[in-house]
Structures are given as structure tokens and as C-alpha cells.
Amino acid sequence: MTGELIRPAWAEIDLGCIRHNVGEVAGHLQDGVQMMAVVKANGYGHGAVQVAKTVRECGVNWIGVAIVEEGISLRRAGIEGPILILGVSPARQAPLIVPHGLTAALCTYDGAEALSAAAVAAGTTVKVHVKVDTGMGRLGLLPHEVIPFVKRIRELPHLVVEGIFTHFSTADDCDRGYFHQQLHLFQQVLAGLDSEGIRIPVVHAANSAAAVTAPEAQFNLVRAGVALYGLQPAPELVALDLRPALSLKANVSYVHTVPQGTGISYGRRYLARSETAVATIPVGYADGYSRLLSSRAEVLVHGRRFRLSGNVCMDQCMIDVGPEPVQIGDEVVLIGRQGDDEVTAMELASIMGTLHYEIVCLISERIPRVYVG
Ligand SMILES: *Cc1c(COP(=O)(O)O)cnc(C)c1O
């Protein structure tokens, strides 16, 4: 099923799972609220183009990316409709944003001027979403700066203030205090604009976690990322019915029996206690399977769990399979389901002391993506 010629280590992406997850998130939205599918970082490692096409078929009308280049590559692949660049772009990239019809997040006047000038030069208009920092401390105007800024940029030719947004830093936290403080500040900014008679049509704040835990934060658009890929956005607050779309699989590349006392992998951190069979898996840290997983992560073979024996190498890792009759070519699941068992991205994340988000983003370009469903 993996094609005859691709390397025997691949990520299988089930687009049916992504469609299911879109439906699950949509089920939490109030009437009239639209969804943006966030496909930055190559769709959290799943493939931005395929994910964008899939969510578009499900009626998702907005796409979000982090940087200009990601927006351009989607346009080149034929993805139409609104694409918002969530990060702030340097003024010098304005001539790239405008001709590709990308929508820019904005928090500097220089940026606005550059976009306006590029739009004038191209004989078109550019749409922008003003970013407000209500307490994430990353990007955006402080609440009291918003009204004067919007008034000023509205004077610029060929520039349309289509949206306004903010981002929560603790939407997945059990302690809701800071989240509500950010929400309140954003609501105050919107009320201020309203009282000045300034109407901005598209208003958004919620990531996946906020979208499914706080309906009052949905405004008229939510920016869903992690949940669409089937990873729980707020595991301590809600258990959504999500299906992880990505599996990382490989075929055993070699099996041999080594004598008692053989040190397996660099540094001899695992020693064969008796003569035993070692299976080699052609996936290593250069594929995004971190060396921090050494001796700790487990993989599935024949529906059984095997712990890594010693260190993950750049291109390979090993398991002591003992008496299990593992053969060259047998399927290994490093992330995902096999038989009745499953290795989750969350499980690997907790070994590494990070988030499931990072596990899927780490899977490198060297791993071919195979689409099913
Ligand atoms: C990445 C990102 C999102 C998506 O967040 P998830 O937690 O993956 O749903 C939303 N908004 C902004 C600004 C982002 O950078």
C-alpha cells in the first residue's frame, strides 16, 4: 500500500480523519460562526496542500498560515479563497503578499504603509486583520493603541481593514482567570471601536481550545489547528471525539541475532542480556524521531509494544525483539495504531517533556507523506 519505490519509512495521513475532526469542531460552533483551518508548518506536519484541499471540501472557508511563503505555496497549488498570514510580515514582503491575494495580520504602521503602497502599485486592494495583544505578549497593539491605529490605517489607499483578532495564551488551562481577562480586554476594544462607529466585519480570537471550551470567545470566526489533526486541544478540560490523522510507520530494515553482552547503538546504553534478535528500524532523529526518545519510547510490531534499545541514531533505531519472530519488512508503528494498541503523539510528547503539537511538526521532509481516506 505504500507504493513500491518509496522508502520504507512514511507518515500515513488519513484525510477521512481530518474530515471527521472538522465536523467535530464545527459541532461546537454557534450559528453563523465560521472556521479557519490553520495549516501552518506544513499543516502541523500533515501536508498543508492536502489538508487545505480537504477542509475546503468540507466547507471551511478560511485558511491560516504563519508566514508569507506558506501562503504563496498554497496559492501555487491552486488553493483559492481567503488565506490569512497569522504572523507579522516584514514591510519588505508586502510586494509578495499583494499579488498572491493573501490577507495580512497587521500591528505596525510601517507594515500598513508598505501593503498600501504595494496594492496601489499593483492596481488592487489588500485586506488586513489588525492584531491586538490582550496578554500573550507576542504580537499586536496594546488595547489602548487600537482605535487610533485603525483610524490612521483606514486613511491609507487600497487597504481594507477586514478583520481584528487576538490570541489567548491559556485557553487550554484549567485555571480560566487569565483567559477571561484577555477575553474581557478584547471585548472592550470591540466596544470602543463600536462606539466610534468603526465596523470591522471579521472578528476572531479562539484557537481550537478556546473554540470548544468558550462559546463566548467564538465571535464570528475561530482558528482551529491542532483539533483538526485529531490531537486534543485541551485535554484537561474536554475530551473531544477526535481521530488522530497521522501515523508514523516503517518496515523493519534488518534483523540479526547478536551475542550476549552486545551493546546496542551508540554509547552502549543497552546491553543484550543474552543472545537475542535485534530489529533495526530505518527511522532516526533526522526524520524528526527525537533522540530524546532513546531507551524510553515504545513502538508496535505484530500488535505488541517494544521499547527502543539504546539511543536513537540519525537515521535508525533498534529494538530487542527477543523470541518474537520479527522479520525484515515487518510493519513497525512509531506513532499510531496497530492491532488493539496505539502509540499517541501525546505519549511521545510526555517522554520528551513537550507538547503533542511539536511531535507532529518535527516529522521531517525526508519522511514521505502517504494519503489515505
Ligand atoms: C497556531 C495558531 C492557531 C491554532 O492554534 P491551535 O491550538 O492549533 O488550534 C490559532 N491562532 C494563531 C494566531 C496561531 O498562531
Side-chain angles (χ1 to χ4, degrees), residues 277-308:
V278 173
T280 302
I281 303 164
V283 174
Y285 60 78
D287 298 304
Y289 191 71
S290 174
R291 193 168 178 279
L292 296 173
L293 298 168
S294 299
S295 304
R296 296 174 72 195
E298 294 176 339
V299 302
L300 303 171
V301 185
H302 299 179
R304 271 195 55 195
R305 277 178 179 257
F306 292 91
R307 178 159 300 170
L308 298 182

PDB file of all heavy atoms in Angstrom, residues 277-308:
ATOM      1  N   ALA A 277      17.626 -11.397  19.338  1.00  0.00           N
ATOM      2  CA  ALA A 277      17.405 -10.828  17.999  1.00  0.00           C
ATOM      3  C   ALA A 277      17.136  -9.338  18.122  1.00  0.00           C
ATOM      4  O   ALA A 277      16.328  -8.911  18.953  1.00  0.00           O
ATOM      5  CB  ALA A 277      16.238 -11.529  17.316  1.00  0.00           C
ATOM      6  N   VAL A 278      17.821  -8.578  17.304  1.00  0.00           N
ATOM      7  CA  VAL A 278      17.648  -7.124  17.286  1.00  0.00           C
ATOM      8  C   VAL A 278      17.051  -6.736  15.931  1.00  0.00           C
ATOM      9  O   VAL A 278      17.561  -7.161  14.888  1.00  0.00           O
ATOM     10  CB  VAL A 278      19.008  -6.407  17.496  1.00  0.00           C
ATOM     11  CG1 VAL A 278      18.863  -4.901  17.317  1.00  0.00           C
ATOM     12  CG2 VAL A 278      19.555  -6.740  18.878  1.00  0.00           C
ATOM     13  N   ALA A 279      15.958  -5.976  15.970  1.00  0.00           N
ATOM     14  CA  ALA A 279      15.368  -5.475  14.721  1.00  0.00           C
ATOM     15  C   ALA A 279      15.730  -4.008  14.567  1.00  0.00           C
ATOM     16  O   ALA A 279      15.651  -3.232  15.521  1.00  0.00           O
ATOM     17  CB  ALA A 279      13.846  -5.640  14.757  1.00  0.00           C
ATOM     18  N   THR A 280      16.151  -3.653  13.364  1.00  0.00           N
ATOM     19  CA  THR A 280      16.545  -2.276  13.066  1.00  0.00           C
ATOM     20  C   THR A 280      15.410  -1.595  12.307  1.00  0.00           C
ATOM     21  O   THR A 280      14.827  -2.184  11.387  1.00  0.00           O
ATOM     22  CB  THR A 280      17.843  -2.289  12.249  1.00  0.00           C
ATOM     23  OG1 THR A 280      18.825  -2.987  13.024  1.00  0.00           O
ATOM     24  CG2 THR A 280      18.338  -0.890  11.934  1.00  0.00           C
ATOM     25  N   ILE A 281      15.113  -0.371  12.735  1.00  0.00           N
ATOM     26  CA  ILE A 281      14.008   0.412  12.153  1.00  0.00           C
ATOM     27  C   ILE A 281      14.630   1.607  11.429  1.00  0.00           C
ATOM     28  O   ILE A 281      15.426   2.339  12.036  1.00  0.00           O
ATOM     29  CB  ILE A 281      13.070   0.905  13.287  1.00  0.00           C
ATOM     30  CG1 ILE A 281      12.545  -0.283  14.100  1.00  0.00           C
ATOM     31  CG2 ILE A 281      11.938   1.764  12.728  1.00  0.00           C
ATOM     32  CD1 ILE A 281      11.938   0.115  15.444  1.00  0.00           C
ATOM     33  N   PRO A 282      14.313   1.820  10.159  1.00  0.00           N
ATOM     34  CA  PRO A 282      15.005   2.864   9.395  1.00  0.00           C
ATOM     35  C   PRO A 282      14.428   4.268   9.608  1.00  0.00           C
ATOM     36  O   PRO A 282      14.088   4.982   8.657  1.00  0.00           O
ATOM     37  CB  PRO A 282      14.822   2.395   7.946  1.00  0.00           C
ATOM     38  CG  PRO A 282      13.495   1.698   7.958  1.00  0.00           C
ATOM     39  CD  PRO A 282      13.397   1.029   9.311  1.00  0.00           C
ATOM     40  N   VAL A 283      14.323   4.660  10.886  1.00  0.00           N
ATOM     41  CA  VAL A 283      13.826   5.998  11.249  1.00  0.00           C
ATOM     42  C   VAL A 283      14.733   6.523  12.355  1.00  0.00           C
ATOM     43  O   VAL A 283      15.020   5.787  13.316  1.00  0.00           O
ATOM     44  CB  VAL A 283      12.373   5.929  11.780  1.00  0.00           C
ATOM     45  CG1 VAL A 283      11.919   7.299  12.296  1.00  0.00           C
ATOM     46  CG2 VAL A 283      11.411   5.435  10.703  1.00  0.00           C
ATOM     47  N   GLY A 284      15.175   7.766  12.229  1.00  0.00           N
ATOM     48  CA  GLY A 284      16.061   8.322  13.242  1.00  0.00           C
ATOM     49  C   GLY A 284      15.741   9.776  13.519  1.00  0.00           C
ATOM     50  O   GLY A 284      14.722  10.303  13.053  1.00  0.00           O
ATOM     51  N   TYR A 285      16.620  10.419  14.277  1.00  0.00           N
ATOM     52  CA  TYR A 285      16.299  11.796  14.670  1.00  0.00           C
ATOM     53  C   TYR A 285      16.301  12.764  13.497  1.00  0.00           C
ATOM     54  O   TYR A 285      15.638  13.795  13.549  1.00  0.00           O
ATOM     55  CB  TYR A 285      17.149  12.281  15.853  1.00  0.00           C
ATOM     56  CG  TYR A 285      18.646  12.297  15.675  1.00  0.00           C
ATOM     57  CD1 TYR A 285      19.281  13.299  14.962  1.00  0.00           C
ATOM     58  CD2 TYR A 285      19.443  11.310  16.267  1.00  0.00           C
ATOM     59  CE1 TYR A 285      20.666  13.327  14.827  1.00  0.00           C
ATOM     60  CE2 TYR A 285      20.814  11.320  16.141  1.00  0.00           C
ATOM     61  CZ  TYR A 285      21.428  12.338  15.420  1.00  0.00           C
ATOM     62  OH  TYR A 285      22.791  12.355  15.290  1.00  0.00           O
ATOM     63  N   ALA A 286      17.000  12.431  12.402  1.00  0.00           N
ATOM     64  CA  ALA A 286      16.931  13.303  11.225  1.00  0.00           C
ATOM     65  C   ALA A 286      15.557  13.228  10.554  1.00  0.00           C
ATOM     66  O   ALA A 286      15.220  14.063   9.725  1.00  0.00           O
ATOM     67  CB  ALA A 286      18.021  12.943  10.220  1.00  0.00           C
ATOM     68  N   ASP A 287      14.784  12.221  10.922  1.00  0.00           N
ATOM     69  CA  ASP A 287      13.412  12.124  10.420  1.00  0.00           C
ATOM     70  C   ASP A 287      12.434  12.821  11.367  1.00  0.00           C
ATOM     71  O   ASP A 287      11.226  12.804  11.137  1.00  0.00           O
ATOM     72  CB  ASP A 287      13.014  10.650  10.265  1.00  0.00           C
ATOM     73  CG  ASP A 287      13.899   9.936   9.257  1.00  0.00           C
ATOM     74  OD1 ASP A 287      13.976  10.415   8.109  1.00  0.00           O
ATOM     75  OD2 ASP A 287      14.532   8.919   9.623  1.00  0.00           O
ATOM     76  N   GLY A 288      12.973  13.365  12.456  1.00  0.00           N
ATOM     77  CA  GLY A 288      12.122  14.029  13.436  1.00  0.00           C
ATOM     78  C   GLY A 288      11.700  13.116  14.569  1.00  0.00           C
ATOM     79  O   GLY A 288      10.861  13.490  15.387  1.00  0.00           O
ATOM     80  N   TYR A 289      12.280  11.923  14.630  1.00  0.00           N
ATOM     81  CA  TYR A 289      12.007  10.998  15.734  1.00  0.00           C
ATOM     82  C   TYR A 289      13.128  11.230  16.736  1.00  0.00           C
ATOM     83  O   TYR A 289      14.229  10.691  16.604  1.00  0.00           O
ATOM     84  CB  TYR A 289      11.976   9.569  15.191  1.00  0.00           C
ATOM     85  CG  TYR A 289      11.443   8.544  16.169  1.00  0.00           C
ATOM     86  CD1 TYR A 289      10.101   8.517  16.509  1.00  0.00           C
ATOM     87  CD2 TYR A 289      12.296   7.598  16.730  1.00  0.00           C
ATOM     88  CE1 TYR A 289       9.610   7.567  17.403  1.00  0.00           C
ATOM     89  CE2 TYR A 289      11.817   6.639  17.616  1.00  0.00           C
ATOM     90  CZ  TYR A 289      10.459   6.638  17.948  1.00  0.00           C
ATOM     91  OH  TYR A 289       9.977   5.694  18.819  1.00  0.00           O
ATOM     92  N   SER A 290      12.829  12.055  17.711  1.00  0.00           N
ATOM     93  CA  SER A 290      13.869  12.683  18.532  1.00  0.00           C
ATOM     94  C   SER A 290      14.755  11.692  19.288  1.00  0.00           C
ATOM     95  O   SER A 290      14.294  10.652  19.771  1.00  0.00           O
ATOM     96  CB  SER A 290      13.208  13.618  19.540  1.00  0.00           C
ATOM     97  OG  SER A 290      14.168  14.134  20.423  1.00  0.00           O
ATOM     98  N   ARG A 291      15.989  12.094  19.453  1.00  0.00           N
ATOM     99  CA  ARG A 291      16.923  11.310  20.259  1.00  0.00           C
ATOM    100  C   ARG A 291      16.511  11.285  21.727  1.00  0.00           C
ATOM    101  O   ARG A 291      16.929  10.405  22.486  1.00  0.00           O
ATOM    102  CB  ARG A 291      18.336  11.885  20.086  1.00  0.00           C
ATOM    103  CG  ARG A 291      19.447  10.994  20.606  1.00  0.00           C
ATOM    104  CD  ARG A 291      20.802  11.504  20.130  1.00  0.00           C
ATOM    105  NE  ARG A 291      21.891  10.692  20.653  1.00  0.00           N
ATOM    106  CZ  ARG A 291      22.406  10.820  21.870  1.00  0.00           C
ATOM    107  NH1 ARG A 291      21.941  11.719  22.705  1.00  0.00           N
ATOM    108  NH2 ARG A 291      23.409  10.032  22.262  1.00  0.00           N
ATOM    109  N   LEU A 292      15.663  12.245  22.114  1.00  0.00           N
ATOM    110  CA  LEU A 292      15.155  12.246  23.495  1.00  0.00           C
ATOM    111  C   LEU A 292      14.259  11.035  23.774  1.00  0.00           C
ATOM    112  O   LEU A 292      13.928  10.747  24.916  1.00  0.00           O
ATOM    113  CB  LEU A 292      14.351  13.527  23.770  1.00  0.00           C
ATOM    114  CG  LEU A 292      15.138  14.835  23.693  1.00  0.00           C
ATOM    115  CD1 LEU A 292      14.191  16.018  23.822  1.00  0.00           C
ATOM    116  CD2 LEU A 292      16.190  14.872  24.795  1.00  0.00           C
ATOM    117  N   LEU A 293      13.863  10.327  22.722  1.00  0.00           N
ATOM    118  CA  LEU A 293      13.031   9.137  22.890  1.00  0.00           C
ATOM    119  C   LEU A 293      13.853   7.885  23.196  1.00  0.00           C
ATOM    120  O   LEU A 293      13.298   6.830  23.534  1.00  0.00           O
ATOM    121  CB  LEU A 293      12.198   8.912  21.621  1.00  0.00           C
ATOM    122  CG  LEU A 293      11.214  10.044  21.293  1.00  0.00           C
ATOM    123  CD1 LEU A 293      10.648   9.890  19.886  1.00  0.00           C
ATOM    124  CD2 LEU A 293      10.081  10.063  22.316  1.00  0.00           C
ATOM    125  N   SER A 294      15.177   7.998  23.082  1.00  0.00           N
ATOM    126  CA  SER A 294      16.090   6.870  23.286  1.00  0.00           C
ATOM    127  C   SER A 294      15.770   6.098  24.564  1.00  0.00           C
ATOM    128  O   SER A 294      15.544   6.702  25.620  1.00  0.00           O
ATOM    129  CB  SER A 294      17.532   7.381  23.392  1.00  0.00           C
ATOM    130  OG  SER A 294      17.914   8.037  22.193  1.00  0.00           O
ATOM    131  N   SER A 295      15.744   4.777  24.451  1.00  0.00           N
ATOM    132  CA  SER A 295      15.541   3.856  25.586  1.00  0.00           C
ATOM    133  C   SER A 295      14.188   4.014  26.280  1.00  0.00           C
ATOM    134  O   SER A 295      13.944   3.366  27.293  1.00  0.00           O
ATOM    135  CB  SER A 295      16.622   4.018  26.681  1.00  0.00           C
ATOM    136  OG  SER A 295      17.896   3.845  26.122  1.00  0.00           O
ATOM    137  N   ARG A 296      13.335   4.916  25.795  1.00  0.00           N
ATOM    138  CA  ARG A 296      12.086   5.188  26.537  1.00  0.00           C
ATOM    139  C   ARG A 296      10.846   4.975  25.691  1.00  0.00           C
ATOM    140  O   ARG A 296       9.855   4.442  26.171  1.00  0.00           O
ATOM    141  CB  ARG A 296      12.131   6.606  27.092  1.00  0.00           C
ATOM    142  CG  ARG A 296      13.259   6.774  28.104  1.00  0.00           C
ATOM    143  CD  ARG A 296      13.412   8.204  28.541  1.00  0.00           C
ATOM    144  NE  ARG A 296      12.321   8.628  29.398  1.00  0.00           N
ATOM    145  CZ  ARG A 296      12.053   9.885  29.684  1.00  0.00           C
ATOM    146  NH1 ARG A 296      12.784  10.857  29.167  1.00  0.00           N
ATOM    147  NH2 ARG A 296      11.053  10.188  30.471  1.00  0.00           N
ATOM    148  N   ALA A 297      10.876   5.431  24.439  1.00  0.00           N
ATOM    149  CA  ALA A 297       9.666   5.294  23.619  1.00  0.00           C
ATOM    150  C   ALA A 297       9.440   3.831  23.276  1.00  0.00           C
ATOM    151  O   ALA A 297      10.371   3.019  23.269  1.00  0.00           O
ATOM    152  CB  ALA A 297       9.803   6.112  22.346  1.00  0.00           C
ATOM    153  N   GLU A 298       8.178   3.518  22.994  1.00  0.00           N
ATOM    154  CA  GLU A 298       7.832   2.175  22.551  1.00  0.00           C
ATOM    155  C   GLU A 298       7.246   2.243  21.151  1.00  0.00           C
ATOM    156  O   GLU A 298       6.650   3.244  20.765  1.00  0.00           O
ATOM    157  CB  GLU A 298       6.830   1.547  23.528  1.00  0.00           C
ATOM    158  CG  GLU A 298       7.475   1.328  24.889  1.00  0.00           C
ATOM    159  CD  GLU A 298       6.540   0.788  25.951  1.00  0.00           C
ATOM    160  OE1 GLU A 298       5.309   0.931  25.818  1.00  0.00           O
ATOM    161  OE2 GLU A 298       7.050   0.224  26.924  1.00  0.00           O
ATOM    162  N   VAL A 299       7.443   1.160  20.395  1.00  0.00           N
ATOM    163  CA  VAL A 299       6.874   1.052  19.042  1.00  0.00           C
ATOM    164  C   VAL A 299       6.057  -0.243  18.995  1.00  0.00           C
ATOM    165  O   VAL A 299       6.211  -1.111  19.868  1.00  0.00           O
ATOM    166  CB  VAL A 299       7.980   1.034  17.955  1.00  0.00           C
ATOM    167  CG1 VAL A 299       8.849   2.282  18.037  1.00  0.00           C
ATOM    168  CG2 VAL A 299       8.849  -0.227  18.063  1.00  0.00           C
ATOM    169  N   LEU A 300       5.198  -0.335  18.003  1.00  0.00           N
ATOM    170  CA  LEU A 300       4.363  -1.533  17.860  1.00  0.00           C
ATOM    171  C   LEU A 300       4.846  -2.385  16.696  1.00  0.00           C
ATOM    172  O   LEU A 300       5.081  -1.869  15.601  1.00  0.00           O
ATOM    173  CB  LEU A 300       2.906  -1.132  17.622  1.00  0.00           C
ATOM    174  CG  LEU A 300       2.268  -0.239  18.692  1.00  0.00           C
ATOM    175  CD1 LEU A 300       0.901   0.267  18.236  1.00  0.00           C
ATOM    176  CD2 LEU A 300       2.134  -1.019  19.998  1.00  0.00           C
ATOM    177  N   VAL A 301       5.026  -3.671  16.969  1.00  0.00           N
ATOM    178  CA  VAL A 301       5.320  -4.658  15.932  1.00  0.00           C
ATOM    179  C   VAL A 301       4.480  -5.890  16.260  1.00  0.00           C
ATOM    180  O   VAL A 301       4.428  -6.287  17.439  1.00  0.00           O
ATOM    181  CB  VAL A 301       6.820  -5.056  15.908  1.00  0.00           C
ATOM    182  CG1 VAL A 301       7.103  -5.987  14.722  1.00  0.00           C
ATOM    183  CG2 VAL A 301       7.730  -3.841  15.845  1.00  0.00           C
ATOM    184  N   HIS A 302       3.814  -6.444  15.262  1.00  0.00           N
ATOM    185  CA  HIS A 302       2.920  -7.595  15.487  1.00  0.00           C
ATOM    186  C   HIS A 302       1.889  -7.262  16.568  1.00  0.00           C
ATOM    187  O   HIS A 302       1.515  -8.135  17.361  1.00  0.00           O
ATOM    188  CB  HIS A 302       3.707  -8.854  15.902  1.00  0.00           C
ATOM    189  CG  HIS A 302       4.694  -9.312  14.865  1.00  0.00           C
ATOM    190  ND1 HIS A 302       5.510 -10.408  15.053  1.00  0.00           N
ATOM    191  CD2 HIS A 302       4.988  -8.849  13.631  1.00  0.00           C
ATOM    192  CE1 HIS A 302       6.273 -10.589  13.992  1.00  0.00           C
ATOM    193  NE2 HIS A 302       5.969  -9.639  13.105  1.00  0.00           N
ATOM    194  N   GLY A 303       1.498  -5.976  16.663  1.00  0.00           N
ATOM    195  CA  GLY A 303       0.496  -5.586  17.651  1.00  0.00           C
ATOM    196  C   GLY A 303       0.998  -5.560  19.085  1.00  0.00           C
ATOM    197  O   GLY A 303       0.225  -5.387  20.020  1.00  0.00           O
ATOM    198  N   ARG A 304       2.311  -5.720  19.263  1.00  0.00           N
ATOM    199  CA  ARG A 304       2.917  -5.729  20.607  1.00  0.00           C
ATOM    200  C   ARG A 304       3.825  -4.529  20.767  1.00  0.00           C
ATOM    201  O   ARG A 304       4.414  -4.058  19.802  1.00  0.00           O
ATOM    202  CB  ARG A 304       3.818  -6.970  20.741  1.00  0.00           C
ATOM    203  CG  ARG A 304       3.153  -8.208  21.246  1.00  0.00           C
ATOM    204  CD  ARG A 304       4.233  -9.210  21.671  1.00  0.00           C
ATOM    205  NE  ARG A 304       5.181  -8.635  22.645  1.00  0.00           N
ATOM    206  CZ  ARG A 304       6.346  -9.180  22.958  1.00  0.00           C
ATOM    207  NH1 ARG A 304       6.752 -10.304  22.390  1.00  0.00           N
ATOM    208  NH2 ARG A 304       7.131  -8.605  23.854  1.00  0.00           N
ATOM    209  N   ARG A 305       3.991  -4.103  22.018  1.00  0.00           N
ATOM    210  CA  ARG A 305       4.891  -2.981  22.273  1.00  0.00           C
ATOM    211  C   ARG A 305       6.324  -3.456  22.494  1.00  0.00           C
ATOM    212  O   ARG A 305       6.556  -4.429  23.212  1.00  0.00           O
ATOM    213  CB  ARG A 305       4.465  -2.248  23.550  1.00  0.00           C
ATOM    214  CG  ARG A 305       3.358  -1.270  23.306  1.00  0.00           C
ATOM    215  CD  ARG A 305       2.924  -0.602  24.589  1.00  0.00           C
ATOM    216  NE  ARG A 305       1.873   0.335  24.234  1.00  0.00           N
ATOM    217  CZ  ARG A 305       2.036   1.658  24.139  1.00  0.00           C
ATOM    218  NH1 ARG A 305       3.202   2.220  24.435  1.00  0.00           N
ATOM    219  NH2 ARG A 305       1.034   2.424  23.778  1.00  0.00           N
ATOM    220  N   PHE A 306       7.275  -2.746  21.886  1.00  0.00           N
ATOM    221  CA  PHE A 306       8.699  -2.972  22.140  1.00  0.00           C
ATOM    222  C   PHE A 306       9.342  -1.639  22.466  1.00  0.00           C
ATOM    223  O   PHE A 306       9.138  -0.664  21.742  1.00  0.00           O
ATOM    224  CB  PHE A 306       9.398  -3.578  20.905  1.00  0.00           C
ATOM    225  CG  PHE A 306       8.942  -4.979  20.609  1.00  0.00           C
ATOM    226  CD1 PHE A 306       7.872  -5.198  19.749  1.00  0.00           C
ATOM    227  CD2 PHE A 306       9.563  -6.069  21.194  1.00  0.00           C
ATOM    228  CE1 PHE A 306       7.445  -6.491  19.481  1.00  0.00           C
ATOM    229  CE2 PHE A 306       9.141  -7.358  20.937  1.00  0.00           C
ATOM    230  CZ  PHE A 306       8.076  -7.575  20.073  1.00  0.00           C
ATOM    231  N   ARG A 307      10.133  -1.610  23.543  1.00  0.00           N
ATOM    232  CA  ARG A 307      10.824  -0.367  23.920  1.00  0.00           C
ATOM    233  C   ARG A 307      12.106  -0.238  23.099  1.00  0.00           C
ATOM    234  O   ARG A 307      12.762  -1.239  22.795  1.00  0.00           O
ATOM    235  CB  ARG A 307      11.151  -0.416  25.404  1.00  0.00           C
ATOM    236  CG  ARG A 307      11.905   0.808  25.883  1.00  0.00           C
ATOM    237  CD  ARG A 307      11.783   0.986  27.369  1.00  0.00           C
ATOM    238  NE  ARG A 307      10.382   1.144  27.738  1.00  0.00           N
ATOM    239  CZ  ARG A 307       9.927   1.127  28.990  1.00  0.00           C
ATOM    240  NH1 ARG A 307      10.757   0.950  29.990  1.00  0.00           N
ATOM    241  NH2 ARG A 307       8.643   1.270  29.236  1.00  0.00           N
ATOM    242  N   LEU A 308      12.453   0.998  22.738  1.00  0.00           N
ATOM    243  CA  LEU A 308      13.701   1.221  21.999  1.00  0.00           C
ATOM    244  C   LEU A 308      14.879   0.720  22.823  1.00  0.00           C
ATOM    245  O   LEU A 308      14.933   0.939  24.033  1.00  0.00           O
ATOM    246  CB  LEU A 308      13.908   2.714  21.714  1.00  0.00           C
ATOM    247  CG  LEU A 308      12.856   3.405  20.840  1.00  0.00           C
ATOM    248  CD1 LEU A 308      13.256   4.879  20.630  1.00  0.00           C
ATOM    249  CD2 LEU A 308      12.696   2.704  19.492  1.00  0.00           C
TER     250      LEU A 308
END
